[in-house]
Amino acid sequence: AQSVTQPDIHITVSEGASLELRCNYSYGATPYLFWYVQSPGQGLQLLLKYFSGDTLVQGIKGFEAEFKRSQSSFNLRKPSVHWSDAAEYFCAVGNTGFQKLVFGTGTRLLVSP
Amino acid sequence: NAGVTQTPKFQVLKTGQSMTLQCAQDMNHEYMSWYRQDPGMGLRLIHYSVGAGITDQGEVPNGYNVSRSTTEDFPLRLLSAAPSQTSVYFCASSGMTAYEQYFGPGTRLTVT
């Protein structure tokens, strides 16, 4: 069965600084990987996805993620964080049956002035 | 397009009461799902449906029932509420598979 680990519960970044959120997955086959963002009191919104091909994927709001099969990782990055990026971020992996997503426990991003 | 709508936004139940959380989508999506979100546990899949008349269990189905009589609606029923079901519930939909899901705003349920 697939699983996702997000080792950081909270991360604080200064506005304008770069950001990297970690995600490690466990899955026997080719993974389908996602990052979602949840603003306070809101539902989740898809930031980006990886299915195959180029291992560096671009998403919305200036985010990107890199798939590294050798490290079973799919880390999310942003070169310059804005105060509006403060939210909770979830990594997820999908199964080959395309029917279930398994989410990590999330990383809460705090942005300091 | 309203996207995915959920009602109610907030609900307080007493132990043993039953209720239905409503979910509707207007995007003609085949796939719909219900998750619960608990602190420190992320989102866990309760039930999902790949089309009208077809439902299946997710990771934490006990205590919940679903049905899918139309493409648009996917209600979640709590038959006999328990304090362990206190959570935030999200409904989501997507075109054909579990990917690229669109989430509703959530229902915050408290069971006393």
Side-chain angles (χ1 to χ4, degrees):
Chain A
Q2 63 264 44
S3 66
V4 176
T5 301
Q6 293 181 248
D8 303 306
I9 298 174
H10 297 101
I11 282 186
T12 300
V13 175
S14 298
E15 190 168 16
S18 63
L19 168 71
E20 182 168 25
L21 301 183
R22 296 184 290 166
C23 172
N24 292 98
Y25 68 89
S26 173
Y27 190 55
T30 300
Y32 300 89
L33 296 161
F34 306 81
W35 275 99
Y36 282 82
V37 60
Q38 183 181 31
S39 298
Q42 305 292 319
L44 278 71
Q45 181 185 22
L46 180 67
L47 277 177
L48 49 78
K49 59 185 184 288
Y50 171 79
F51 287 172
S52 63
D54 194 345
T55 57
L56 184 64
V57 295
Q58 303 296 321
I60 62 172
K61 305 186 182 191
F63 286 92
E64 65 179 26
E66 186 171 13
F67 170 60
K68 292 185 178 180
R69 185 185 297 275
S70 61
Q71 298 177 18
S72 298
S73 69
F74 189 56
N75 293 349
L76 182 71
R77 301 195 294 247
K78 187 170 185 178
S80 177
V81 168
H82 187 262
W83 64 265
S84 60
D85 293 324
E88 189 151 21
Y89 292 80
F90 293 92
C91 183
V93 61
N95 66 349
T96 52
F98 308 140
Q99 294 186 341
K100 297 181 184 179
L101 277 183
V102 173
F103 285 84
T105 52
T107 297
R108 183 169 298 278
L109 173 65
L110 306 172
V111 180
S112 61
Chain B
N1 274 357
V4 179
T5 58
Q6 292 183 237
T7 56
K9 288 191 185 332
F10 302 94
Q11 183 70 49
V12 179
L13 290 179
K14 295 188 188 304
T15 296
Q17 288 184 317
S18 63
M19 80 159 294
T20 299
L21 307 186
Q22 300 292 345
C23 174
Q25 52 89 11
D26 61 0
M27 297 174 282
N28 202 31
H29 283 168
E30 292 293 330
Y31 184 96
M32 297 186 74
S33 56
W34 277 101
Y35 295 86
R36 59 177 290 172
Q37 183 178 29
D38 302 293
M41 304 191 74
L43 279 79
R44 292 180 292 169
L45 182 65
I46 304 172
H47 286 285
Y48 66 98
S49 168
V50 297
I54 306 170
T55 64
D56 205 348
Q57 296 181 350
E59 182 184 354
V60 288
N62 292 343
Y64 307 95
N65 275 1
V66 293
S67 60
R68 183 98 178 268
S69 56
T70 68
T71 299
E72 293 79 20
D73 301 298
F74 191 43
L76 179 72
R77 297 183 191 82
L78 282 70
L79 303 177
S80 178
S84 60
Q85 294 178 304
T86 293
S87 187
V88 181
Y89 291 85
F90 287 99
C91 179
S93 74
S94 60
M96 288 293 290
T97 70
Y99 300 159
E100 303 192 53
Q101 294 188 50
Y102 292 82
F103 281 79
T107 294
R108 184 173 294 274
L109 175 68
T110 302
V111 183
T112 61

